[in-house]
Amino acid sequence: LAMATVFSMCVFASANEIEGSWWSLNMETGHLTVHCNVPYNDNVQDSELLRYIRYIKSVSFDEGVTAVNKNGFNRCSKIERIELPKSLEFIGPWAFAGCASLKEIVFPDNLNYIGYNSFANCVSLESIVIPPRVTVVTEYAFYNCKSLESVEITNAKTAVDDYAFGKNNALKTVKFPENADIDPGTFKDSDNIEKVYYSGDEESYNELKIVKSPDNPFFFAEVFYNQPVAVYPVGFSVVSMPERLIYVLNEDVDLTGLELEVEMTDGTVEKLS
């Protein structure tokens, strides 16, 4: 029974390929492929993956994966490259914390949540762009990322919590949109910020919570106002349907009468017809 259990979890497909219940690892290249949502784990690391941590150098995810849950790759210190799928929506607490060799992470547009300590102590990360659908960047998400030099927040409705980018003394540049919901403690102990690029005017900038804070981390920075930021659609609603809805095969589709309202990251609404 014990042997059957072992072989059900780990099948040696070839001399170099190892299969787990939710992943496969090429031992020669060090590439791990994730086939389904990464399980939630209260321990520092999933016991199934623990024995192979030292071999993992890169990770990719099958399309359709929506979540990397708590402690998914915590302290996988040799991971240099992570390719996240377009389908990913959720990154849980400590998911990639302590991935000390990771220099770059590109977040997919569908991502909407970045959890507590999810990238804390990723000491080789150099830049971060928070995509427009993210609603929350939680506490300590990018804490103590010692090589982090630039941060860009693309959506004013993204709530950024205390210490989310705390203790990042290499951080020099911050970009964010008008009326952004940035907590006063977001950049706590990141004391070397030199340039701030803000899409609004000086008056709205001075009303921000983080600027009005006694510990304003941008106090000594040079501020550039009215800076253009990329504007993305984040949702839409149908105002009216097309006049004609039923067609036969190979017939041209007529969208006359279709009207949409599209919500943009800058808070504006565009009407499309």
Side-chain angles (χ1 to χ4, degrees), residues 186-204:
T186 292
F187 296 95
K188 185 83 171 172
D189 297 330
S190 296
D191 299 327
N192 297 311
I193 298 171
E194 296 177 352
K195 295 183 179 181
V196 174
Y197 295 87
Y198 178 65
S199 68
D201 58 23
E202 184 173 2
E203 183 178 356
S204 66

Side-chain angles (χ1 to χ4, degrees), residues 244 246-253:
R244 186 179 174 191
I246 299 175
Y247 295 87
V248 297
L249 187 64
N250 296 325
E251 186 178 4
D252 291 340
V253 176

Side-chain angles (χ1 to χ4, degrees), residues 137-257:
V137 181
T138 58
E139 293 177 323
Y140 296 91
F142 298 93
Y143 181 78
N144 196 36
C145 295
K146 295 181 179 180
S147 299
L148 190 64
E149 295 183 355
S150 68
V151 169
E152 181 175 358
I153 299 164
T154 59
N155 190 348
K157 294 184 178 180
T158 299
V160 189
D161 291 342
D162 256 351
Y163 276 103
F165 295 99
K167 203 177 179 181
N168 293 325
N169 283 325
L171 186 60
K172 298 291 192 295
T173 303
V174 177
K175 300 179 181 180
F176 59 98
E178 187 173 6
N179 301 320
D181 185 14
I182 302 176
D183 193 278
T186 292
F187 296 95
K188 185 83 171 172
D189 297 330
S190 296
D191 299 327
N192 297 311
I193 298 171
E194 296 177 352
K195 295 183 179 181
V196 174
Y197 295 87
Y198 178 65
S199 68
D201 58 23
E202 184 173 2
E203 183 178 356
S204 66
Y205 175 82
N206 289 329
E207 291 299 315
L208 295 174
K209 291 187 296 184
I210 191 168
V211 175
K212 295 172 73 173
S213 167
D215 299 319
N216 175 12
F218 305 148
F219 187 81
F220 294 105
E222 184 178 7
V223 182
F224 300 86
Y225 304 106
N226 300 309
Q227 296 297 304
V229 295
V231 179
Y232 304 89
V234 290
F236 72 92
S237 58
V238 178
V239 177
S240 63
M241 295 294 288
E243 295 174 1
R244 186 179 174 191
L245 298 175
I246 299 175
Y247 295 87
V248 297
L249 187 64
N250 296 325
E251 186 178 4
D252 291 340
V253 176
D254 182 2
L255 296 179
T256 301

Side-chain angles (χ1 to χ4, degrees), residues 20-21 44 47 53 55 63 75 110 126 180 214 223 227 233 240 255 257:
S21 62
V44 170
S47 57
I53 282 180
Y55 300 107
E63 201 58 46
R75 300 187 189 179
N110 281 330
E126 296 176 351
V223 182
Q227 296 297 304
S240 63
L255 296 179

